[in-house]
Amino acid sequence: MAAVLISVMTAPSCADSWILPTATTYTSCGAHARVTITPRDLDSQLGYFEDKVRKVAPAGQKKGGARVASARLERLVANRWQMVWERPIVNDVAPVSALIRDDGNYAVTFDDWHGLGYGPNVVVIYGAGGKLVRALGLSDIVPADYIKALPHSVSSIHWRGDPRFSADGQSIVIPVVIPSESFASNPAMIDVAVELASGKVSAIDANAWEAALETGRKVLAGQIAYEAAAKAAFLAPLLRPKINAEREWHDYLREAVARLIGDDDTPSTTVLRLPGASDYAVSETWVHDALTESYADKVAIASLSEPNLVSVLQKVAAKLPARSLSKVTVFIALSDENWAAAGEAMRRTGAKLIQLNPDKPIPQRPKRIGRRYGPGRD
């Protein structure tokens, strides 16, 4: 009594993309039964999101539209579809997907639109006459710590693959993602069974399930350690990067400027490469363009070689009209020994120069600490 999805909505992973749901029909593999899910009518995605933020219910409701999601189950009898039952379903807007057993005795929905893995309707079983057998949240299927270890995005928990009916048709088999240290587009999974008659959850292979749980514990421990290290770095005074490399200097520039002026007006960042690098020349162009073609009024510049950055600034500034950068603020990562020469070179441009001395600790802004960790947190 296995079944397959004829219409499938793909589950999002790290990046979320949710189109407005539409009526969708799911047909059993033997084509003897089908269930049509009709979503609650939304005015727009934006309206839904705005109402969610404002805690307006029902969020995004379209005026005059259907105010509840519903399902209609049909069986094929003598080559004609006959309705067996039709009823509202528990999802706020619509499920992400559904399965129906070939005899039409059970229909199962999975997850909520715009909330994969969240809420009390991760798995919902409907039996004879559309009677609700059980609605399960993710914590009814896997432990809370396991959920924390799973990949998360803005609105989703990437927790499963494509469900299927068991060979005897008495259970739903759900491939559950096994957590890993980094996001995988094709993650390892382990099957978990949910009994249709009762909604009881059980592991198909107890030893493999225990191994998956242990993996989840290790991944979560690694995440906690990483977050602790990131918090310590965020709170600690900022100094020059430990590694003299482009990405590290970009990170330094962004963080240094944010500590000085906050996160609301982030400048572009430019890093000049080492003169001997095969791809060095283009980085001189970056410095020139950052100063002369930026649409922003703030730019931040660093280099893998401070003396060379001074030379490049001298060359660029000499070709610019006087006071041509009078409306631009330039943050430059230079130590004291090179700062005076850079200031002299840039003086005629009229730019406002702010030194980011990599050897001088820059404390974290209390407002940023409050935003990230809450008032009074350290």
Side-chain angles (χ1 to χ4, degrees), residues 154-348:
V154 175
S155 64
S156 302
I157 302 171
H158 184 56
W159 73 276
R160 64 171 175 86
D162 293 330
R164 63 188 186 277
F165 285 105
S166 60
D168 63 5
Q170 300 306 305
S171 300
I172 283 288
V173 178
I174 305 173
V176 174
V177 171
I178 299 175
S180 60
E181 293 181 356
S182 58
F183 178 79
S185 58
N186 294 300
M189 298 192 188
I190 183 167
D191 287 341
V192 171
V194 181
E195 188 178 73
L196 292 170
S198 65
K200 179 182 177 181
V201 179
S202 60
I204 294 176
D205 183 329
N207 291 333
W209 179 236
E210 183 52 45
L213 293 177
E214 178 60 24
T215 297
R217 287 189 285 267
K218 290 180 179 178
V219 169
L220 180 59
Q223 290 176 355
I224 292 172
Y226 174 83
E227 290 167 3
K231 181 178 181 180
F234 184 80
L235 297 176
L238 180 69
L239 288 167
R240 71 169 59 246
K242 294 180 179 179
I243 301 174
N244 189 36
E246 274 187 67
R247 186 175 70 176
E248 282 71 15
W249 277 108
H250 278 291
D251 291 343
Y252 172 85
L253 289 174
R254 282 189 289 268
E255 181 63 19
V257 174
R259 290 184 179 214
L260 292 180
I261 66 172
D263 297 294
D264 297 331
D265 195 8
T266 305
S268 63
T269 61
T270 301
V271 177
L272 183 66
R273 292 169 173 164
L274 287 172
S278 60
D279 52 0
Y280 166 76
V282 69
S283 68
E284 277 202 15
T285 303
W286 295 342
V287 174
H288 175 274
D289 292 349
L291 292 172
T292 61
E293 298 181 8
S294 175
Y295 293 101
D297 59 358
K298 295 180 177 65
V299 297
I301 301 173
S303 176
L304 305 188
S305 168
E306 285 195 12
N308 186 56
L309 176 57
V310 173
S311 297
V312 171
L313 290 176
Q314 290 170 338
K315 182 164 51 175
V316 172
K319 297 179 181 179
L320 296 178
R323 300 198 57 77
S324 59
L325 303 182
S326 60
K327 296 182 180 180
V328 179
T329 299
V330 185
F331 298 85
I332 308 176
L334 285 173
S335 55
D336 286 341
E337 63 181 300
N338 292 299
W339 180 248
E344 183 61 31
M346 295 290 291
R347 187 187 308 278
R348 64 185 302 276

Side-chain angles (χ1 to χ4, degrees), residues 117-142:
Y118 288 102
N121 306 318
V122 163
V123 177
V124 183
I125 304 170
Y126 298 93
K131 180 181 178 181
L132 177 65
V133 175
R134 188 181 180 189
L136 297 92
L138 190 51
S139 60
D140 296 316
I141 301 171
V142 297

